[in-house]
Structure formats: structure tokens, C-alpha cells
Amino acid sequence: MNCAFTNARLIDPANGLDETGNLIVENGKIFAIGKKAKAPSGVKTHDCKGMAILPGLVDMQVFTGEPGEEHRETLATASQAAAAGGVTTMITMPNTNPVIDDAALVDFISRRARDTAIVRVHPMAALTKGCDGHGMTEFGLLREAGAVAFTDGDRAVMNALTMRRALSYAGTFDALIVQHAMDQDLQSAGVMHESELATRLGLAGIPVAAETAIIDRDLRLVELTGARYHIALVSSAESVETVRAAKQKGLPVSCGVSATHLMLNQNDVENYRTFAKLSPPLRREEDRLALIAGVADGTIDVVVSGHNPQNEEAKRQPFAQAAYGTVGVETLLAGLLTLHHADGVALNRLLASVTARPAELLGLEGGTLSVGARADFAIADLEAPWVVDADSLRSKSQNAAIDKRKVQGQVLACYVDGEAVFEL
Amino acid sequence: MTVTEIKGAFAHRDLLGIDGLSVSEITYLLNLSDNYVEQNRQIDKKTSVLRGRTQINLFFESSTRTQSSFELAGKRLGADVMNMAVKTSAVNKGETLLDTAVTLNAMNPDLLVVRHGDSGAVALLAQKMSCAVLNAGDGAHEHPTQALLDALSIRRRLGKLQGLRVAICGDITHSRVARSNLLLLNAMGAQVHLIGPQTLLPVGAEKLGARVFTDMREGLEGCDIVMMLRIQNERMEGALIPSVREYYRLYGLDREKLAYAKPDALVMHPGPMNRGVEIDSAVADDPERSLIRDQVEMGVAVRMAVLEALAANLPNNTGEAE
């Protein structure tokens, strides 16, 4: 399909572009972009009326229930939620049932995605077999099959020797190793940030040290091995500081944060609100501010949704027993735009963290509106305010931590390969 | 028997914790309890305040004294009392807490007394119930009737709570008794000292309005009341404290350590006691110094008062309570 999108605010962080103009799509690729881009005659035009065109988002952390727990979410339902959020590439997590630790299973995800999903899906594969923290998986074969990185999902590799070997072996393939930085021993029975509030609620706390201990250890191993290392989610000011120092040292380290951690803090679990029970936990307000500052100065490379659909029964439990996680792929962009409006973080930087930067880390095409790139993009009203209503989200599960929150920024349409996959 | 008319009001559907109660509500419950103490010492201990009412005691954690105390309280007020013990083993994980709530609710109880091992579980259950819910202990969160009975025991012996200095010693981290007592005593103008080894002291305890000590001698100084907490077996043997003998040496209450407090300081324990672990028998059984037996007696009276106060707020109350 050939089409011209005219009169749009074109924003492409990868190329430092932010100007009003036209986007010309030809054969699913970007043919021309900018104020001088002219639509070839006879091509269908779509007047964007000043709305923004952004590269389709690359969400680097999406948990689905497929295979094994399709009642929570399938690749199809997650992709519909993604499209409605302007996310054109989802990176899925391997801790499904069965765990994605075999080339055939990576292939299964790719085929299921091709047949059922409306956005691109790239799986991360397990770092250890069965995500059990012991034996390494076949990085080489898994990469060949299409795995973009290696992680044990929501579990840290606790054994330092296993981690050293994984980092070392990953170097063979320049593979990216992604860690859920949470020391299981220090976490113990902890279910929320360790604080006065946890004491008052009578809930066991998770100290910041449970995160920093793993990061500190891993950074030593990165120094030793030189492998590319990514912390999936940081939650504390201390972690941001540690990563900042490691980057100054020149270590090949990167990290992510969830949009929810940029919007909420530990007070959101008051009254045992299990929908705000996350791993890593929501921490102090000063941590939230440090995370925002980390995104703003580039210490934190990527912002993810951490989309983790849980059904009602898993959440309507006593806090300690309730499942971790929040849905978020559909509200990722709105969350970031809200930060831009409320906290003044530069738009370009925020958008880079969900487009160009994750694509670069994962070695994917996309995340840009460069001429010749695949026409994956979103049209959005950057200003429109709305209230998140969990029940009307497209995900199969409605566990939204930011339910009833006011956000600003609405996706109007989403395109993959130049074809509309979502229109409001 | 002499029953004084109690003025005041209690404007809550449920009693989920001390948190959220006003000073006047706490005082009202204590005054009401005083009456029941007298009534419980008569030959005829029964009234018809709860006649026709159904009270269910739902215990997800086993308990002997709290459950029997609630049972006796309900029966003395004329309610039909049913005890349900629910084992939270993996066997019946299938039914969620809320399923249980919905099932029970369909039986139209008027008063539901709940103990559960998870903090916040009783409040969660209360959301689905249309009757009054009493928290008989939820995880490490609250145990409001224990705090009320402790306060009543102290007030009856010393005549006041205001201005007293109360030490709470032992496993503060895992104790709902400590939290409810801290809230109640703070509200009533008493000063609370929390004492224990660092591994059993929760993060941020000093911000909750207590002074925190790791040394018994320092912590007990000037205390009118020394409240000992039960130490659970699973916390010992190296997990949080290295051994029973070391714990007893450092924190077990014997005459020597009690001497650090005021000369006439009183000793309390929510029970059941581990004699020779957190408390020495000589101290626990000293009628001059120990309030432990009073606590059990006050327990029944306090629970009667709370049941009455909550029943009075039930939507279908016919006014029998007056």
C-alpha cells in the first residue's frame, strides 16, 4: 500500500527529527519524510491535522501467558493491546510454561506470532534451562532461531559462577544478557519495599540491597568478561547511581525501568492494593524521582511496560499471596507523555527510550522513521488527556496498577509495515 | 450487679484494627468492657444482647485462647456461635479467601470473627461480607482485641494509660500484638519502648512513634509495664537469633532484668508463654507483679464489649442491645 501522511508533527529521535511535514509510505517502507517530502501523484493521502507521527514503540519487556497460561494473555491479545498503545514491536519473556529454552520453542513463538499477532514479536530466550538458574541454554542455536536476548524473566541468576559463565559464553555471540536484579535470599518473604510503611502494614520488606547486591556482583563479572549486560528493571536511586558510575567506566552495561515505576511509588500499595504489587517493588518517592532523572540523562537506556497480565483471582488475594505485575503495554506511551507534561522530561529522550535505544540494544531494525526503514509508526495526540480505565483496556487481564489515573497522550492509529493495525 | 450506663459511640461496621479508632471510641470500648468484667464475675453471666444473632469464628490459624475467648464472649451475650477452623494447607488452595467469604456470607451471619496468617486478609474478606467483621489477628498487621484487653488490664490496675511508659520486648517484626499495642498506647498518651535484637526489630519502627532499644537495661528504664512477646520456634536456631540460651540471657525477663524497670513495674504476656525462653516462671507467676492472668479475664470482657458495639451498628438491629 502506498500512502502519504500529511501535515504531521514528525518526531524521530534516532535522526534528531522534530518538524512538521509529510511521511510517504511505499510498499510498507518509508519512502520519504520531512517538510519537503512530496506525495507522488495519485497516492492516497491522510491528513494528520497536526497530530504527531512517532516511530512504533519497541517494548523490551512483555510477559504473556502463551504458551501455558493463555487465560492470562495470548500473543494475539497482547498484540492488540500493544497496537492500541502504539507499540509495534513486543519483546516477549521466556518464563512461560514451558519455558522458552529451546530453539524449537523460539520458533513456536515466532510462528504463533506470525499467525495470530498484529504487531512484531521477538522473543527473549531463557538464560538457563527451565529458568532454574543452573545450566546455560544454547545461546548459539537460540539466536539462530530468533531469540534477541537471554534472561530468566522474573528471576535472577543467583549463582555467581553460572552468571560468570553465561556472560563469558555470551561474548562468543555478542549476545545481550538481561538480568532481573533481585537477590532471592535477601528478598526472602519480602513483598514490598522495605520501609516504615511495610512495617505498619505488617508486610515483609524487600531491601534496596536485594537489587544493588546483584547489580554490584554482576558488574564485577562484566568487568571480568566484557559481555553486554542489561538490567531489566531498576527501582532505586542507588541502582541508578551504580549504573551511572559503571557507564562512566566504559562498561558495556545498560538498564531499563518500567513506566509504572516512573509514575507510582510505594504509597500506592497502601490498603494492601495488590494491583500495585510489582517486582521489583515500587519504592520511595525519592527513588521515583531518581529514576526519572536517570531516564532524562540517559543513564537509564530504555523504558518498558513490564506488561504482566494477571487474572482477577491471582490479584484478589491477601497481599503476600497475590501475584506480582501490572498490565501496561497499552499505556506505555501515555505514561511517558504524562511524564513529559508533568515532569518536563525532554520528549526526544523519552521517545528514544522506547524506540531507537531498545532497537539498538537488541540489534533490531526499527525504532526509527529513517528513509528505507519499515513503516512501523504511530499517530498520536500528544496532549489529549484521558483517564485509564482498566476494564476498557484490550489486554485479556485488567490488572492495571495505574487504573483511574489521569494520563495525557493518546494513540490515534498504529501502523505495521505501512498497514493500519489500530485506529481509534 | 451494678452496671453503669456507658456513654459514647462506636461508629464502625467492622473492627479491623486499632488504626482508625479515635480516643473516644477506644475509651468507650474500655468503659463498656469494665461493665462486662463485673458481669463475668457473677453467677449469671448471660445477657440477651446478641439473642438471635449468629457469630462465626473463622480461624485460618490455629488458636486456643483467642478462639475460646471469642466463643465464650458470644455465648455469654446470647449469640449462636459456630467455630470454623480452616486449614490453609495446599489441599484447599483451590478455594480462594474471597470464595470462602462469599460462601459464608450466604449463610447470613451477623458477626464474623476472623484470624488469618496474612496481613490485610481480614480487611480483604470484610469487603465481601455484609455482616460485621472482627479482626482476631491478621499476619503481622493487627490484633485489636489484644491491644484493648491489654489496655483494660493496665487501666484497671493503674487507673490510667496516659503518661505511662510501656516496654514491648521480643519479636517486634513479626508481632501484630506489638503493632496494635503501639497504636493504642500512642493514641492514649502512653510512651512505648520497643526492645529486641536488631534482627527482630522492624525497619522504621522509630518513625511509628516508639523509642527503639536493643538493650534491656536501657529500654526498661523508667517503665511502668513490661510486655513480653512470644518468640516463635521457627525464628530461633540461627535464622534470626542464634540460640534460645543466648536469647534468654539477653532478653529473657527474669527478676534481675525486671529490676531495670520501675520498682513496682508490672509484667504482661499475650500468651502462650515459652517459660525459660522469653520469660522466667518466677516473674510470670508473681501475683504482685504479673498481669498475665488478668489479661485472660479481660479478654472475654473486651470481646463482649466489641461484639456488642458492632452488633448495635448492624443494619437490621432491632434495638435489643439497648
Side-chain angles (χ1 to χ4, degrees), chain A residues 194 196 199 201-202 272 321, chain B residues 118-119 124 140-141 179 203 207:
Chain A
E194 182 174 280
E196 170 202 344
T199 295
L201 293 172
Y272 304 100
Q321 290 179 28
Chain B
D118 282 314
S119 301
L124 178 68
H141 180 225
R179 281 172 183 72
V203 167
K207 290 185 190 152

Side-chain angles (χ1 to χ4, degrees), chain B residues 7 30 42 46 71 81 103 112-113 116 124 131 144 173 180 188 221 273 292:
Chain B
K7 290 198 168 56
L30 294 178
Q42 309 300 317
K46 284 199 84 160
E71 183 177 356
V81 184
T103 306
L112 181 66
V113 177
H116 196 285
L124 178 68
C131 68
T173 301
S180 286
M188 301 306 283
E221 197 184 330
M273 288 182 280
I292 297 170

Side-chain angles (χ1 to χ4, degrees), chain B residues 193-207:
Chain B
H193 286 189
L194 299 176
I195 310 171
Q198 206 78 64
T199 44
L200 298 179
L201 288 169
V203 167
E206 58 292 326
K207 290 185 190 152

Side-chain angles (χ1 to χ4, degrees), chain A residues 149-417:
Chain A
F150 300 90
T151 182
D152 277 353
D154 57 3
R155 289 176 72 178
V157 174
M158 285 297 292
N159 186 302
L161 180 58
T162 305
M163 193 61 185
R164 180 197 174 167
R165 286 173 175 158
L167 285 164
S168 185
Y169 191 63
T172 319
F173 312 95
D174 196 30
L176 183 68
I177 297 296
V178 179
Q179 176 75 293
H180 182 73
M182 172 77 78
D183 185 302
Q184 290 154 20
D185 296 324
L186 284 172
Q187 174 181 14
S188 187
V191 291
M192 69 171 285
H193 176 58
E194 182 174 280
S195 63
E196 170 202 344
L197 177 63
T199 295
R200 197 153 55 70
L201 293 172
L203 294 173
I206 304 172
V208 167
E211 182 168 300
T212 52
I214 292 290
I215 296 175
D216 287 343
R217 179 200 74 178
D218 286 352
L219 288 175
R220 293 290 175 189
L221 300 175
V222 170
E223 276 184 88
L224 202 61
T225 58
R228 293 201 297 132
Y229 171 73
H230 179 81
I231 304 149
L233 300 168
V234 291
S235 70
S236 70
E238 288 86 340
S239 304
V240 177
E241 201 39 61
T242 302
V243 172
R244 192 173 282 134
K247 285 186 165 185
Q248 272 160 14
K249 257 182 164 177
L251 293 179
V253 56
S254 56
C255 70
V257 68
S258 93
T260 313
H261 284 83
L262 298 176
M263 298 179 77
L264 306 182
N265 65 26
Q266 63 162 344
N267 293 328
D268 288 282
V269 307
E270 186 84 70
N271 296 322
Y272 304 100
R273 202 169 157 265
T274 56
F275 281 52
K277 180 180 175 183
L278 305 178
S279 177
L282 294 166
R283 298 195 186 271
R284 300 153 295 191
E285 176 62 7
E286 36 294 23
D287 292 308
R288 189 184 77 90
L289 296 174
L291 294 172
I292 293 173
V295 172
D297 72 9
T299 302
I300 298 178
D301 300 79
V302 301
V303 179
V304 302
S305 68
H307 185 75
N308 194 348
Q310 299 289 351
N311 59 350
E312 191 98 334
E313 289 68 45
K315 279 290 188 182
R316 300 260 184 235
Q317 293 275 354
F319 197 90
Q321 290 179 28
Y324 288 96
T326 174
V327 293
V329 69
E330 194 172 337
T331 53
L332 174 59
L333 181 63
L336 289 184
L337 291 173
T338 305
L339 280 180
H340 167 63
H341 293 298
D343 299 75
V345 187
L347 187 60
N348 227 39
R349 175 58 213 135
L350 284 173
L351 292 178
S353 75
V354 287
T355 56
R357 189 65 182 131
E360 181 187 5
L361 284 173
L362 297 165
L364 295 173
E365 289 178 43
T368 171
L369 299 174
S370 300
V371 171
R374 290 192 293 222
D376 295 357
F377 60 94
I379 304 178
D381 180 339
L382 302 183
E383 313 290 332
W386 57 290
V387 175
V388 177
D389 173 23
D391 291 337
S392 62
L393 294 177
R394 284 155 184 84
S395 173
K396 214 169 188 180
S397 297
Q398 271 76 44
N399 57 306
I402 61 165
D403 188 26
K404 305 288 176 277
R405 298 275 292 206
K406 289 186 189 120
V407 291
Q408 206 176 347
Q410 176 95 57
V411 175
L412 304 171
C414 184
Y415 293 79
V416 173
D417 286 329

